[in-house]
Each structure stands twice: as C-alpha cells, then as structure tokens.
Amino acid sequence: MRSYNQYCSMARALDLVGDRWTLLIVRELLTQGPCRFSDLRRGLPGVASNLLAERLREMEANGVITRQDEPPPIAATLIRLTDRGQELSGVVRELTRWGAPLMLEPPDGDAFRMHWFTLPLRHLCRDGSPDQPAVTVRLGDLHDGCDIIADHGQIQVLPCSTARQADATVTAPPQVLVALFTGLMTLPTAQTQGLVVDGSSAALQRLLPEAGFASG
C-alpha cells in the first residue's frame, strides 16, 4: 500500500481507500449487500480478477471488508462491509452527488449497469402521495436493476426481487433516467426520449423529485 506520508486525516483515509477501484467496490457492497466475488466482478466491468482480488485483500487487511463462509443453501464465501466500511456510505453519497452533473452526456463506450442507480435513487426519490397504497417501480430487470418502493412517505431502493410485484417497470437510456430523477426532465419529455413504462405511469410520477439533485 502506497502512502502519502502526511499526518492528515484526509491523507490517511486516502491511503486506505484512494486506490483505483476501492471506492467502487464499496459502492457495489453498499448496493448489492454481501455478495460473492463473481457478483462483484459483474458489477465492476473492466476490473481484472487479479486486481480485484488484490484490492479485496488490502481492504480486508485494513478492516473495511470481511469474508464469511455461508452454509447451504448459499454454500459460498460472501464479502461484506464491516461497520467501519459501512461508514463510507456518506463519502460515496457525496461523491455521487458531486458527480451527478457529469452524468448528463455519457461518453461513447462507457459501461453501464442499471443497479448503479440504487444509491443515488435513495436520495433522489420522494413519495409524492404518502396517503396512497404502496407502489413498487422497477428499473431494469431481475438480472440488473433495482426496485423503488414508496410506502406511506418512506422510500426504499432495493435489489430486484421475485418476491415483489412491480406496479411499473421502466427502461430508458441512462442519461434520460439521470435527467428525469434529477428534475431536469419531465416524465412526458422523457417518454419522447426513449423512456418506456410498462405498467402505471402514475406510480413512476409519484416517485419523482420536486427539486433537482444535481443542483443541491
């Protein structure tokens, strides 16, 4: 591990989590929860297996992650954040917020995974009809997506599950979803830009923010 050799809390923190891929690994574990090595790789396109293994060893040595062997029916080693690692959620949230304005025009060739929206959506969405019955809006699908649940004023954004029936399933180019959920584009406009709603458009409208995340 390389060090800045500075007696400064920011420099010390970057000694541990400033290497390439480390915070994206944290993002995946905050998004997916405890998961297998293969699950991490699927969420980190472009990382080599040996580099991912090296980063995980460093993170484990630094107390950011831990591994746990799960019995059947899982029968696999799961990687999870420690309590100390979970404290990075605020750092990831603020980096997501800071980077939101950079998301409106994706460069050609950039990889994209729908489940990457999970963390920002937890802060972007609101329940605009808290007195109405709960709704679930699915972005993407069971393989790569997330479920947004609005229930009596509370918002949850979780990995997609067969245990939930979606009131609406939404697909769209990523930049359209960014504009929609940051308040820079209305739902009718988004639908002219490639957004497709299978189910209740009202359920999706209920979740949209009143103010732009990118500006706040």
Side-chain angles (χ1 to χ4, degrees):
M1 180 184 70
R2 290 175 295 181
S3 174
Y4 288 103
N5 294 314
Q6 295 180 11
Y7 189 61
C8 160
S9 60
M10 181 177 176
R12 290 289 177 88
L14 289 173
D15 284 347
L16 301 189
V17 299
D19 281 336
R20 191 164 185 245
W21 295 107
T22 299
L23 282 177
L24 294 184
I25 294 169
V26 173
R27 177 200 68 192
E28 288 303 303
L29 292 172
L30 287 170
T31 300
Q32 299 189 45
C35 59
R36 300 172 175 86
F37 183 90
S38 59
D39 297 326
L40 277 179
R41 275 216 67 194
R42 278 194 295 272
L44 295 165
V47 69
S49 292
N50 60 337
L51 180 56
L52 177 56
E54 179 183 342
R55 288 289 180 269
L56 291 173
R57 285 193 295 269
E58 293 169 350
M59 294 170 74
E60 187 172 21
N62 292 325
V64 177
I65 65 165
T66 186
R67 304 173 202 249
Q68 184 172 334
D69 293 328
E70 296 289 336
I74 297 176
T77 299
L78 296 186
I79 301 160
R80 67 183 70 229
L81 291 168
T82 62
D83 289 346
R84 179 75 164 152
Q86 288 282 349
E87 291 174 358
L88 287 165
S89 62
V91 175
V92 173
R93 180 180 66 249
E94 291 307 314
L95 282 172
T96 301
R97 180 185 296 274
W98 189 82
L102 309 176
M103 294 287 292
L104 299 179
E105 296 185 11
D108 291 339
D110 271 14
F112 171 70
R113 299 290 184 270
M114 187 68 80
H115 76 266
W116 291 343
F117 279 125
T118 299
L119 295 181
L121 286 174
R122 290 172 183 169
H123 308 286
L124 287 168
C125 294
R126 51 125 193 168
D127 185 356
S129 302
D131 297 330
Q132 298 298 313
V135 296
T136 297
V137 173
R138 178 164 295 164
L139 300 190
D141 53 35
L142 291 169
H143 175 69
D144 177 37
C146 57
D147 288 343
I148 312 168
I149 304 159
D151 187 3
H152 293 92
Q154 301 297 313
I155 293 289
Q156 285 185 291
V157 187
L158 303 171
C160 295
S161 171
T162 56
R164 287 186 290 272
Q165 181 68 39
D167 296 281
T169 298
V170 178
T171 57
Q175 67 271 24
V176 173
L177 289 174
V178 170
L180 179 67
F181 281 100
T182 55
L184 298 177
M185 185 180 289
T186 65
L187 178 54
T189 300
Q191 289 175 304
T192 70
Q193 300 296 314
L195 182 140
V196 176
V197 180
D198 181 9
S200 170
S201 294
L204 173 59
Q205 184 67 59
R206 173 174 169 175
L207 304 173
L208 298 181
E210 292 179 329
F213 176 72
S215 64

